[in-house]
Amino acid sequence: MKVLVINAGSSSLKYQLMEPETQEVLAKGLCERIGIDGRLTHKVPSRDLKHEADVSMPTHAEAIQAVLDALTSSEHGVISSMKEIDAVGHRVVHGGEKFASSALINEEVMAAIEACIPLAPLHNPANITGIRACQNVIPGVPMVAVFDTAFHQTMPPKAFVYALPYEYYEQDHVRRYGFHGTSHLYVSGRAAAMLGRPIEELKIVTCHLGNGSSICAVDGGKSVDTSMGFTPLDGLPMGTRCGAIDVSIVEYLAKTHNLSVDEILNLCNKKSGVLGVSGVSSDFRDIEAAADQGNQRAQLALDLFCYKVCKRIGSAAAAMGGIDAVVFTAGVGENSAMLRERIVANLGFLGIRIDPEKNNVRGEERDISADGAAVRTLLIPTNEELVIATDTARIVSGK
Ligand code: ADP
């Protein structure tokens, strides 16, 4: 079965055409600057081929058409016609409390995704636009929505209810949802496979550390707590997001600097995190380089990031009453040996110890634990597209 995986953002669209059974990626790429001008980058891994072109993309519909043209092109295509696409899997950021698993897209599901727009005003509209564009360009092909929030629907109320007046949960659905669910699901499953043990008997802390970061306590294969909350702003400090802060700061800054709530939320989302603290960049590579050259604020940004990730690993272990493995994934988690080492430096009391030699690696599955460590520390590159393709294939084949 050939599944087209679509991850539609407001002005970009990532895609992969893959065969979930063999896990082979036939082609993948990116449409950027949708609504501005339009640029396509298309890659065919088996032929080591990369094709780039300016393509007019006034809307997502033209972007999807450009993807289909690339996939069926005589020069850099991988299929002879779009009839070979058996199904499309769409990443959808917010499924609210309605979706604890992926869903075959019909008008009822679309209405439920639309109902979640107030919960994810930046993300869900773009996801919906991507789905509608696909429905127009390839009508009749079955489509599945795979939600970032779904994996966390197993959290118990004590983990997801905020200590606000309860009616705001009941009426307004204000609660912890959690995100990066497909990534936490994938890496926890791979961790169990690497350890050669059934996931049902494992307590795993998964650390998705990228531009956006979250930590998940996966007990017996189920998410029981996670650091992101009502929105992806909660929890850890990130590239540009502040993570958890005292909400009174919002009022204080509003009064002191005559700022609106929107303006403060904008600075919490886009100007904070390691960018805000370092003043250098949101990219950890730039911050590491600046810290190496003696930049004190860059050093502080790294220090507080590692400190908060370390504390969250401890709190996830406490949530489960134990820990068998800790997993590092995503851009930072997969690539920065230095940050992994600093994050776990204080966690020896839990039995987490890494081997500096084994840790000296990037982007490949590896057990980086020190010999004899009670807790295994694993490096596992995430693969959200594979989860989306596999779920899509399972649902459209009625399994
Ligand atoms: P997203 O959350 O956007 O999916 P990624 O998971 O791709 O992000 O992570 C991107 C981030 O990973 C970059 O902003 C960068 O900070 C970090 N990163 C990538 N490579 C390295 C590296 N070699 N060392 C440190 N950080 C890195």
Side-chain angles (χ1 to χ4, degrees), residues 210-212 282-285 288 330-332 335-336 362:
N211 230 334
S282 64
D283 192 306
F284 284 81
R285 286 164 288 202
E288 283 182 26
V332 179
N335 291 300
S336 179
R362 63 168 52 165

Side-chain angles (χ1 to χ4, degrees), residues 44-277:
V44 181
S46 64
R47 286 159 56 198
D48 217 6
L49 183 153
K50 181 174 176 185
H51 164 75
E52 288 179 280
D54 291 327
V55 184
S56 170
M57 299 174 187
T59 71
H60 284 70
E62 290 82 9
I64 298 277
Q65 189 60 57
V67 171
L68 295 171
D69 289 346
L71 291 172
T72 55
S73 139
S74 53
E75 286 143 46
H76 40 262
V78 291
I79 50 176
S80 52
S81 100
M82 45 206 198
K83 291 203 183 82
E84 287 186 45
I85 300 172
D86 298 295
V88 183
H90 291 271
R91 175 191 183 212
V92 178
V93 167
H94 217 307
E97 291 189 303
K98 177 104 182 154
F99 298 103
S101 53
S102 307
L104 189 65
I105 294 175
N106 55 28
E107 281 311 305
E108 195 189 329
V109 167
M110 288 303 283
I113 299 172
E114 273 163 22
C116 292
I117 289 176
L119 300 175
L122 298 178
H123 295 100
N124 272 32
N127 302 153
I128 291 166
T129 308
I131 296 170
R132 292 281 183 220
C134 265
Q135 287 174 327
N136 288 336
V137 179
I138 37 174
V141 176
M143 302 198 191
V144 169
V146 180
F147 301 93
D148 264 25
T149 48
F151 181 59
H152 302 297
Q153 280 296 303
T154 47
M155 284 190 291
K158 66 183 177 187
F160 74 69
V161 171
Y162 286 115
L164 289 165
Y166 194 66
E167 60 263 31
Y168 294 114
Y169 165 55
E170 286 186 305
Q171 287 164 20
D172 301 306
H173 313 290
V174 173
R175 53 160 286 176
R176 180 182 305 283
Y177 287 99
F179 299 86
H180 292 142
T182 41
S183 178
H184 292 298
L185 168 69
Y186 174 77
V187 298
S188 56
R190 287 301 309 153
M194 283 173 76
L195 298 174
R197 289 174 62 188
I199 197 160
E200 290 75 18
E201 62 184 46
L202 289 170
K203 296 179 189 300
I204 305 170
V205 176
T206 50
C207 307
H208 179 110
L209 309 177
N211 230 334
S213 295
S214 70
I215 285 185
C216 185
V218 186
D219 195 351
K222 294 193 165 67
S223 167
V224 294
D225 206 349
T226 191
S227 59
M228 281 182 170
F230 180 59
T231 71
L233 181 56
D234 201 359
L236 298 168
M238 310 181 206
T240 62
R241 284 172 253 173
C242 59
I245 58 166
D246 181 342
V247 287
S248 302
I249 294 168
V250 176
E251 188 216 17
Y252 181 78
L253 288 182
K255 285 190 177 152
T256 315
H257 292 280
N258 195 24
L259 295 171
S260 68
V261 171
D262 279 358
E263 286 169 325
I264 296 170
L265 261 288
N266 189 50
L267 75 84
C268 287
N269 270 302
K270 302 199 172 140
K271 297 181 182 164
S272 301
V274 291
L275 167 68
V277 175

